[in-house]
Structures are given as C-alpha cells and as structure tokens.
C-alpha cells in the first residue's frame, strides 16, 4: 500500500498544501501554521485490529528502527522516509509509572505518570526531533542545500536537536536565553557540538530571531512551529493508550508553554479515532505556570480572545513563554477534548513536585505544574475518584537539580513544605543513634 503525507495550512478556508520536502513553516497565502496530513483512506485499508497488532509486535523490539516508539508507528508519522535516513536513538517506549501512593493520597483510584523524560536527552523533545532530523537527512540526500538546523529553546529543544544532529553528522545551531536555563540543559548542546548562541533576552526574543535567520533556506528551522516535530510528539497519546491495552484513559494533564505538545497529543488521539482504534476521546487539561499563563487567561474568557503576555521568571523555566506559537492549534484541540486550563503558582508547583518525589518519582518543575493542576482539580471535584488520570511528565528531574537543591535547602521564597535537608552530625555513633531515635519517632514516610 502507498501511504502519503503532506503539509497543509491549518486555516480551513485556505487549505494550501505543500510536499514534506519543501522548506516551508507557514502558509505563504495566509501566514497560518501548517500541519502534516495523512492519506487516511490508504491507512484504512488496514483494519484497526491489524494496526494495533502491528504496533504491539514492533513495540520495544530489537528490529531497527521499529523498536522505537516513533518508528514503530512509521506509517502514521512519516510514511515516505527511507529507513537509511532515519536518525533514531530508540526514543519513546517510556515507562507509564503507576503513581499508586500519590493517587491514594489524593483520593484517586488510578493515577499514572508518563515518564517522557526517561529518554536519550532527558525530555519529550526527542519524540519530535527524531522525525525532524530524519526528514532533514532525507532532504540533504536529495540535494537540498541545508547547511545547519537551528532552534530557539528554553533548554530541552536545543538538547534534543543537538544530540540528534550530532548522531546524524549535521551541524546544529541553538539560540538560548542567557541565564534562563538550567546548567544541565546548557551543557548538553555544548557537549554535542552545537553552535550555542546565548542571547540577552527571553525565549520569545530568541524565537523572533530564529524565525528571521531561518528565512535563509540553508538554515532549517527546528522549533515546533515546524509541524514535523508535532508528528513525532503525537505518538505519546497513542503509546499511552497502547500501554493500557488500547483503552482510553479519562483525563490527560500536560504542562504547556509554546503549546506544540498539547496540539500533538490531541492530533495523535484524533488519528486513532479516525482510524477506529478508539471510540471516545479523553478530557485534556493544560497546566501553565501562573507566571506565564496566556492560555489560562484566554480560557477564562472561553477562548473568545487570546493576548500574549510578558512571561515572568518561573521555576518552570521550560514553559516560561508568553507568546506561544501553536496557540491556535492548542485551542482547536481543547475545544474538541472538553479542555480545561489550570495554573500553578511557584509554591504550588514546587510543593507538588516534591510531594510526588516523596512517593517515588523524581519530578522536573514542569511536571510539578501538572501535578499541582491535578491537585487543584481534584479539590474542585472536576477530577473524581473513579477517573483514570494520566499526567504527562515532560522532562527528567536530573536536568533540574538546581531547582531541587534550592527547594530542599529552603532557599525559595515560600516555606517548602516537603523539604528534606540532610542532618549534619559529628562522626560519632552516639550522635548518629540519638539523631536516628529522634527522627524515626517523628517521621512518617
Ligand atoms: C518544551 C517543554 C514543555 C512545553 O511544551 P510546549 O510544546 O512548548 O508546550 C514542557 N515541559 C518541558 C520539560 C519542556 O521541555
Ligand atoms: Zn493558508
């Protein structure tokens, strides 16, 4: 069977189409974003049951590249890529953590956390970057004059771009807001040989510059306004449903910044419904930091209007974005998925991340934002005991040790309720015994 995919303008009234090997990020006619569309009629020649069997057979297998969470679903993602051009680091197939203890604490019978950070560069950005860099490799092999691939980043996109480009032997360029990303995030692209440009601005400022420099067709744009990224990231929802043996959970909670990821989540779930793998849609909750909450403000007005904001400094640095590029796509998804947008203060996100850690996770601050939203929605009765809830954890906590150290040192501007600082003692058995006696009397895990 011939499967086909192409770029299409998201503006229904326009619908301009372009091939996937064209260097284009916005519609030339109306300036809207593009999305990748698939020939669903062709995909329907295989039954829903046969797709599920194929995806299950490939899942985590050693048959390169189909054991990857993305390339195991190749026909739904990038059907016309040649296997020799695929740049895969075995992304996806991440653990769906059963958050049994945290769920019980919150009065939920089923809480799950999808650990997207347990992957090559430590964040979900790998899911989209494998697709984008593979397509670039294919375009270069066809003679496209691409010299480098560039992105603006709050830290994780640049880490993913740099590692996939290094694996492929393609030069990467990353534009980072100076002093606004974690040490681990900064050192990743440096180590992988990216050209690292540190600009004295915020993410929105870097995004403006990268859109200008990628008007030069020899520098290809890797931000999620390039919908190839969304094609990879859309597998996350499909993979979660697969991990539930093809049953749809009731609620997804996902932290949102530039809003590419929630658009991707919705897109994958809609494709599953179109092709008959599922018959109902879950509810989707986007969680934003209060310091960078333009979507939350728009939601309060029923999405009747949207206004960018000046994002303020937040511990959730990867979502410190005031002017999200994918806002239109995200609102379209939220309208179809009975969407909710919730926000979290700095104290709420830090305490929620730490509470989750105490039940066996190791959360990044963005996952903290999602967990804080969960706690608030349970309290308000929007999420109820019988709901099967999945929180999408977007990065590994080890990328954000600065945040964790400051929390447990109580060096933040709020009480840090779950801080667990080390007890400093002289190296004497009696002192250690006395301290343990006291601590074990007082402490409940
Ligand atoms: C990029 C990122 C997000 C936000 O995703 P968007 O697609 O920008 O909404 C959330 N958490 C982490 C850790 C990220 O790196
Ligand atoms: Zn258009």
């Amino acid at each position: 069977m011939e499967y086909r995919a192409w770029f299409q303008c998201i503006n229904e009234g326009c619908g301009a189409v372009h091939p996937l090997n064209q260097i284009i990020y916005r519609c030339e006619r109306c300036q809207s974003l593009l999305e990748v569309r698939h020939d669903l009629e062709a995909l329907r020649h295989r039954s829903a049951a046969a797709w599920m069997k194929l995806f299950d057979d490939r899942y985590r297998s050693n048959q390169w590249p189909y054991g990857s969470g993305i390339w195991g679903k190749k026909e739904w993602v990038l059907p016309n890529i040649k296997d020799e051009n695929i740049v895969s680091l075995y992304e996806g197939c991440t653990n769906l953590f059963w958050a049994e203890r945290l769920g019980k604490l919150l009065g939920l019978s089923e809480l799950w956390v999808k650990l997207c950070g347990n992957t090559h560069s430590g964040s979900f950005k790998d899911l989209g970057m494998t697709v984008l860099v593979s397509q670039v490799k294919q375009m270069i092999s066809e003679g496209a004059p691409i010299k480098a691939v560039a992105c603006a980043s709050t830290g994780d996109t640049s880490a993913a771009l740099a590692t996939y480009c290094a694996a492929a032997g393609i030069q990467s360029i990353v534009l980072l807001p100076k002093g606004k990303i974690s040490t681990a995030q900064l050192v990743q692209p440096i180590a992988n040989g990216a050209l690292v440009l540190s600009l004295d601005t915020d993410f929105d400022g870097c995004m403006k510059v990268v859109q200008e420099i990628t008007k030069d067709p020899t520098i290809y744009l890797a931000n999620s306004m390039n919908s190839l990224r969304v094609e990879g990231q859309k597998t996350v929802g499909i993979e979660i449903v697969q991990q539930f043996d093809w049953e749809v959970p009731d609620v997804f909670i996902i932290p949102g910044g530039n809003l590419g990821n929630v658009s991707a989540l919705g897109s994958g779930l809609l494709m599953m419904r179109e092709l008959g793998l599922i018959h109902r849609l879950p509810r989707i909750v986007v969680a934003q930091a209060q310091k960078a909450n333009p979507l939350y403000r728009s939601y309060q007005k029923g999405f009747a209007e949207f206004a960018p904001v000046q994002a303020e400094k937040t511990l959730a640095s990867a979502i410190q974005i005031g002017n999200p590029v994918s806002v239109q796509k995200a609102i379209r998804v939220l309208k179809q998925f009975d969407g909710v947008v919730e926000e979290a203060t700095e104290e709420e996100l830090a305490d929620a991340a730490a509470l989750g850690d105490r039940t066996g996770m190791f959360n990044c601050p963005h996952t903290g934002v999602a967990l804080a939203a969960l706690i608030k929605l349970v309290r308000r009765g929007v999420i109820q005991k019988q709901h099967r809830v999945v929180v999408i954890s977007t990065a590994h906590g080890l990328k954000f040790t600065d945040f964790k150290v400051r929390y447990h040192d109580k060096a933040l501007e709020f009480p840090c309720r779950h801080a667990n600082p080390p007890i400093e003692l002289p190296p004497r058995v009696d002192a250690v015994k006395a301290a343990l006696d006291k601590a074990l009397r007082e402490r409940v895990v």
Side-chain angles (χ1 to χ4, degrees):
M1 194 67 220
E2 254 321 289
Y3 301 114
R4 285 184 322 119
W6 58 89
F7 286 130
Q8 186 164 327
C9 174
I10 63 167
N11 176 357
E12 299 277 330
C14 172
V17 299
H18 300 272
L20 294 184
N21 60 1
Q22 187 175 341
I23 299 175
I24 186 167
Y25 318 109
R26 278 186 189 278
C27 178
E28 285 162 338
R29 245 186 264 162
C30 73
Q31 293 303 305
S32 301
L33 291 187
L34 305 171
E35 64 188 343
V36 175
R37 290 282 193 94
H38 291 262
D39 180 351
L40 294 175
E41 281 316 309
L43 291 166
R44 272 194 200 101
H45 283 278
R46 199 188 284 254
S47 70
W51 281 120
M52 292 187 276
K53 166 122 186 20
L54 181 69
F55 294 163
D56 282 340
D57 287 347
R58 290 171 174 173
Y59 193 72
R60 284 187 158 162
S61 76
N62 292 325
Q63 192 202 343
W64 192 92
Y66 298 102
S68 147
I70 311 301
W71 300 109
K73 301 176 174 70
K74 175 181 167 175
E75 296 83 353
W76 288 31
V77 173
L78 206 58
N80 304 123
I81 189 97
K82 291 187 186 141
D83 281 0
E84 73 214 40
N85 290 325
I86 291 179
V87 185
S88 173
L89 305 173
Y90 267 73
E91 48 290 315
C93 298
T94 50
N95 182 25
L96 184 58
F97 177 91
W98 182 25
E100 186 184 11
R101 280 192 65 216
L102 184 61
K104 268 196 189 131
L105 276 174
L106 302 179
L108 295 173
S109 48
E110 271 200 64
L111 176 62
W112 301 80
V113 180
K114 176 67 168 169
L115 297 178
C116 295
N118 290 5
T119 174
H120 192 75
S121 81
S123 87
F124 77 83
K125 299 295 199 301
D126 289 358
L127 304 179
M129 214 49 91
T130 182
V131 173
L132 184 133
V133 174
S134 298
Q135 177 65 25
V136 169
K137 190 170 172 196
Q138 177 140 318
M139 287 157 72
I140 291 173
S141 79
E142 292 166 354
I146 298 170
K147 278 195 235 142
V149 186
C151 73
S153 176
T154 51
D156 291 326
T157 301
S158 51
L161 177 64
T163 192
Y164 279 89
C165 279
I170 298 169
Q171 182 62 55
S172 61
I173 301 170
V174 308
L175 280 68
L176 299 170
K178 191 175 168 186
K180 294 188 175 69
I181 67 170
S182 78
T183 311
Q185 289 174 321
L186 175 62
V187 82
Q188 285 181 289
I190 290 176
N192 288 134
L195 278 166
V196 179
L197 312 181
S198 179
L199 306 190
D200 195 6
T201 177
D202 57 7
F203 171 80
D204 296 298
C206 291
M207 193 65 219
K208 274 195 201 127
V209 175
V210 82
Q211 292 188 57
E212 290 303 314
I213 65 168
T214 53
K215 283 183 180 160
D216 171 352
T218 67
I219 303 179
Y220 192 74
L221 177 70
N223 279 98
S224 59
M225 66 179 280
N226 184 331
S227 52
L228 290 171
R229 288 261 312 279
V230 171
E231 283 314 281
Q233 289 173 208
K234 86 178 180 196
T235 58
V236 71
I238 305 171
E239 185 172 295
I240 290 167
V241 173
Q242 181 176 14
Q243 286 173 303
F244 286 126
D245 292 329
W246 305 102
E247 266 180 46
V248 190
D250 299 301
V251 184
F252 281 92
I253 307 181
I254 185 167
N258 223 4
L259 304 177
N261 208 23
V262 61
S263 310
L265 174 65
S267 160
L269 293 165
L270 287 171
M271 194 160 173
M272 290 182 87
R273 192 178 64 169
E274 289 277 338
L275 295 173
L277 280 73
I278 61 174
H279 304 286
R280 70 184 180 95
L281 297 179
R283 192 165 213 192
I284 293 182
V285 178
V286 173
Q288 291 209 298
Q290 194 179 60
K291 302 268 193 187
N293 63 353
L295 187 69
Y296 177 76
R297 291 179 196 212
S298 171
Y299 170 72
Q300 298 294 77
K301 295 180 183 154
F303 297 125
E305 53 190 86
F306 176 83
V309 300
Q310 176 62 50
E312 292 169 52
K313 190 171 166 54
T314 166
L315 294 164
S317 50
I319 54 176
Q320 188 179 324
I321 295 173
N323 189 12
V325 167
S326 295
V327 64
Q328 277 179 295
K329 285 186 183 177
I331 291 176
R332 193 177 64 179
V333 160
L334 288 172
K335 286 182 174 165
Q336 287 168 282
F337 287 80
D338 194 15
V340 175
V341 185
E342 187 50 85
E343 63 172 3
T345 64
E346 298 299 285
E347 178 167 6
E348 287 166 344
L349 76 88
D351 279 338
L355 180 64
D357 288 356
R358 292 295 275 267
T359 64
M361 291 174 243
F362 195 68
N363 292 304
C364 75
H366 324 88
T367 306
V369 172
L371 291 173
L374 166 70
I375 293 169
K376 292 166 97 165
L377 293 172
V378 169
R379 262 187 218 139
R380 286 217 306 274
V382 176
I383 293 177
Q384 294 168 1
K385 183 180 172 28
Q386 75 280 8
H387 290 144
R388 180 183 263 184
V389 182
V390 179
V391 170
I392 304 218
S393 171
T394 44
H396 201 294
L398 283 173
K399 296 183 96 169
F400 298 90
T401 45
D402 331 5
F403 154 71
K404 287 191 179 292
V405 169
R406 280 163 68 210
Y407 184 89
H408 291 287
D409 278 349
K410 295 186 173 250
L412 299 170
E413 295 97 52
F414 40 80
C416 305
R417 204 163 293 132
H418 309 291
N420 181 32
I423 306 168
E424 296 197 9
L425 293 169
R428 287 196 330 261
V429 173
D430 61 331
V432 171
K433 275 192 171 162
L436 287 181
D437 279 348
K438 179 167 180 292
L440 294 176
R441 226 178 303 125
E442 287 169 358
R443 275 268 280 256
V444 233
V445 179

